[in-house]
Amino acid sequence: MTCNRLFFATLILFTAACGCEQFQDDSEDPVLAVVGDQQLTLSSAVSNIPEGILRQDTITAIRNYQSSWIEDNVLIMEARRLGLDTNQELVNRLERLKSQLMLNVLKEVILSEHRDELEVTSEEAGNYYQANRDRFILEETYVRFRHMTANTRTDADNARRAIMNGTSWPDVAQRYSMDPERQIRESERFIPVSMAVPDLPRMQNYLEIIGITEISPVLSANGVYHFIQLMEERPAGDYPDLDWLIEQIKEWLYLEKSERLINSYKRNLYLQGEANDEIERTDIGSLENSVILNVLQNEEN
């Protein structure tokens, strides 16, 4: 259990002891529900509930999980009563899922053991960018702009006036914006003009009309007052800055390294298996068509 989950578990037990009747069990791990021969404990519930949901409303999250667990296990108990757990098709599917899960876990183990050599540095990402710049040419105009959303027309007008008088954007956003942190953060990024304020086509049109540092008129939409200020523009055919792409390039290079490592690992295992006479391969071309058709027909039936 992670430190965060241990903290949540402690918080839950404390909260429960202070007033939740169904948790007033003296054991360290109370049983929350029983269906047939299956039981749900508090620790099991906590380990399966996302931390964000636990953080929002701990007791409600556990109660909802408890209800869901009971419903699922009632259905599972009925499936077993009908003998579905011994159905050959289900057994085969479970075996395939088990095999796929083992493959996924093995890959995670391999990548974890080679974590250091898979690390991608900023220098590597920069070299990749320089060697492949033509792959990143902008296909449309990109813009960096400020978008103000205010509760009232007065706030919007005051914010617009403050910017024109030289007040810094962070100060203006903190004072007048409905969502200052997000709008300050987004004002630092370049995005395609086609994706800018997509819910406000009139405002998007202004981005293609106004000049650098110019501010649009204030517009009202759904009870919110908006204006934008264009800060920078990159035309189609230009090259983006490396800092726009560096994290994405690092992710690409990490995936490439990971794939090469896994393929090399598989190749070595294959060669080892061949050397140990652990692998046999039938020539598919040597099988008679009638044999293949017979198997296919059996599968369809």
Side-chain angles (χ1 to χ4, degrees):
M1 182 178 289
T2 64
C3 292
N4 281 341
R5 288 200 177 278
L6 184 59
F7 168 78
F8 279 123
T10 304
L11 174 63
I12 292 163
L13 290 172
F14 174 78
T15 305
C18 291
C20 187
E21 180 179 340
Q22 68 210 73
F23 290 157
Q24 292 187 11
D25 189 328
D26 292 335
S27 69
E28 294 183 358
D29 193 11
V31 174
L32 305 184
V34 176
V35 175
D37 59 355
Q38 300 296 310
Q39 65 177 27
L40 172 68
T41 63
L42 178 59
S43 62
S44 178
V46 168
S47 67
N48 283 285
I49 301 172
E51 289 182 15
I53 296 177
L54 274 174
R55 192 187 302 275
Q56 291 174 9
D57 188 337
T58 303
I59 298 303
T60 298
I62 296 174
R63 185 176 291 120
N64 289 342
Y65 185 85
Q66 177 192 50
S67 297
S68 177
W69 183 91
I70 291 172
E71 291 172 0
D72 287 346
N73 278 270
V74 166
L75 291 172
I76 292 170
M77 186 168 62
E78 175 65 8
R80 287 187 175 132
R81 189 187 69 79
L82 295 174
L84 297 183
D85 55 331
T86 59
N87 177 275
Q88 190 57 49
E89 181 181 353
L90 177 61
V91 171
N92 292 341
R93 290 170 64 183
L94 288 174
E95 194 60 35
R96 288 195 295 269
L97 289 172
K98 179 181 176 181
S99 297
Q100 187 59 56
L101 180 59
M102 284 195 296
L103 286 174
N104 293 341
V105 172
L106 176 60
K107 289 179 181 179
E108 291 174 3
V109 170
I110 295 170
L111 296 179
S112 177
E113 290 177 347
H114 295 80
R115 185 181 298 109
D116 291 343
E117 62 190 85
L118 292 174
E119 182 181 355
V120 179
T121 65
S122 296
E123 183 180 3
E124 285 181 273
N127 291 338
Y128 181 88
Y129 173 73
Q130 293 301 329
N132 299 274
R133 287 188 72 201
D134 288 345
R135 293 180 56 185
F136 301 104
I137 292 176
L138 302 180
E139 296 182 354
E140 64 173 298
T141 299
Y142 275 60
V143 291
R144 184 174 72 81
F145 64 99
R146 298 166 176 174
H147 179 198
M148 167 62 64
T149 54
N151 279 312
T152 67
R153 177 65 187 243
T154 299
D155 280 348
D157 288 339
N158 287 339
R160 193 173 185 277
R161 191 176 302 112
I163 292 174
M164 295 175 69
N165 289 337
T167 304
S168 73
W169 168 244
D171 288 344
V172 172
Q174 290 290 354
R175 182 170 183 181
Y176 297 108
S177 172
M178 295 172 58
D179 193 355
E181 300 301 330
R182 180 177 64 84
Q183 293 187 335
I184 291 171
R185 183 173 63 252
E186 291 183 349
S187 70
E188 299 300 319
R189 298 204 305 258
F190 278 86
I191 63 172
V193 70
S194 63
M195 297 175 61
V197 287
D199 297 332
L200 299 169
R202 288 179 61 196
M203 196 66 75
Q204 192 175 66
N205 290 338
Y206 277 120
L207 281 173
E208 301 180 19
I209 297 173
I210 61 178
I212 303 300
T213 73
E214 287 186 357
I215 305 175
S216 75
V218 174
L219 296 179
S220 173
N222 300 320
V224 177
Y225 296 86
H226 307 257
F227 69 77
I228 56 172
Q229 181 183 25
L230 180 63
M231 301 307 298
E232 292 185 71
E233 184 177 78
R234 291 289 183 85
D238 202 355
Y239 292 97
D241 293 338
L242 174 59
D243 58 1
W244 299 12
L245 302 166
I246 189 164
E247 293 305 319
Q248 187 175 9
I249 291 175
K250 282 184 175 182
E251 184 177 348
W252 290 343
L253 295 179
Y254 173 82
L255 292 175
E256 285 185 4
K257 287 185 176 184
S258 300
E259 185 175 358
R260 287 198 299 269
L261 176 64
I262 295 297
N263 287 337
S264 175
Y265 194 93
K266 287 192 292 187
R267 180 63 179 167
N268 290 336
L269 287 177
Y270 180 83
L271 293 174
Q272 181 181 331
E274 278 194 325
N276 295 336
D277 293 326
E278 296 171 336
I279 299 173
E280 296 183 8
R281 183 193 296 269
T282 297
D283 180 9
I284 304 300
S286 68
L287 295 177
E288 295 183 6
N289 288 338
S290 60
V291 174
I292 298 175
L293 289 173
N294 186 51
V295 172
L296 290 175
Q297 288 173 354
N298 289 337
E299 284 295 314
E300 290 176 357
N301 295 332

